[in-house]
Amino acid sequence: MATATTVRPGVAGAGTQRTTGVLLAGGIAAGTVFAVSVTAQVLTRDGFDLSRQPLSLLALGEHGWIQIATFVVSGLLALAGAVGIRRVLRGQPAGTWGPGLVAAFGVGLVIGGVLVADPSMGWPAGAPEGPAETASWHAVGHGVGAMLAFWSLTAACLVFARRYARRGQRGAAVLSLVCAIVVVVVMAWPDQDSLSVRMAVGCGVLFAWLAAVSARLLAVRSH
């Protein structure tokens, strides 16, 4: 005769808590993986000049697979973070739009990795010294992924700023609002000569914000 398997609620709950913690850790790690990889590449790939060549162009050339993997892995970690955020905030303010926008950020990064930009700005060797004259379909897709990533997480900053303000957490609210403003300013600044550096700064701000939010929720979940 078959016997029913009994699952102790405490054990099941502990397993869920651990899984949520691992997912949130993904949100924390996404920026670290991206920052370490691109920094190493900028410093070691001969001829690459961040002052005029966007980080996206690292996906081209002999070792381009490293940046492609960086985009994809960082995006998947961000998606994991989004699931963790959803688990913690389900039914609370920002519990729907917040993780949804973080997930869109992750999707944008994956798209930006799978669909590479066109050679331009002198990278890789032999590429046009300026912007590509015409855009390939994958370059257009890369641009869509990049904009999805940038603006989704910027919007998430505003969603969480509202959540923190409603909860009386003024410091976190101000920080989230400032992050959104900084990204908008650096991306909208009209000087095209500094675009590659400004995009790198925007990436850094957004990844740092995601890590801070994920770490904050991880700390709250642990208590």
Side-chain angles (χ1 to χ4, degrees):
M1 181 175 64
T3 57
T5 302
T6 302
V7 178
R8 289 181 293 169
V11 174
T16 300
Q17 289 288 314
R18 283 194 295 271
T19 301
T20 301
V22 171
L23 291 168
L24 289 171
I28 299 171
T32 301
V33 169
F34 191 88
V36 170
S37 177
V38 298
T39 299
Q41 292 180 79
V42 168
L43 293 176
T44 60
R45 295 188 68 178
D46 291 339
F48 188 85
D49 182 2
L50 182 60
S51 68
R52 60 189 295 263
Q53 295 159 346
L55 294 175
S56 294
L57 294 183
L58 287 169
L60 304 174
E62 182 181 0
H63 302 291
W65 65 269
I66 298 175
Q67 184 58 25
I68 292 173
T70 299
F71 275 126
V72 173
V73 172
S74 297
L76 293 176
L77 288 170
L79 283 168
V83 175
I85 293 170
R86 173 60 177 165
R87 286 188 174 197
V88 175
L89 297 186
R90 185 180 287 113
Q92 301 181 40
T96 299
W97 279 104
L101 289 166
V102 173
F105 170 71
V107 170
L109 288 175
V110 173
I111 292 174
V114 173
L115 303 177
V116 299
D118 289 330
S120 62
M121 310 307 293
W123 185 268
E129 289 301 319
E133 293 184 3
T134 58
S136 64
W137 65 269
H138 51 81
V140 172
H142 177 86
V144 170
M147 289 302 100
L148 176 63
F150 268 106
W151 298 123
S152 293
L153 207 57
T154 301
C157 290
L158 298 175
V159 169
F160 274 87
R162 183 171 183 268
R163 166 186 165 81
Y164 292 139
R166 290 176 62 180
R167 294 170 64 89
Q169 298 170 321
R170 295 181 60 184
V174 170
L175 179 61
S176 294
L177 180 60
V178 168
C179 286
I181 292 173
V182 168
V183 173
V184 171
V185 169
V186 299
M187 292 299 293
W189 200 263
D191 179 20
Q192 290 301 306
D193 291 338
S194 63
L195 179 60
S196 59
V197 174
R198 288 187 282 112
M199 290 180 69
V201 170
C203 281
V205 170
L206 290 174
F207 273 121
W209 177 84
L210 176 59
V213 169
S214 300
R216 188 184 186 95
L217 292 176
L218 183 59
V220 170
R221 183 204 60 85
S222 300
H223 287 84

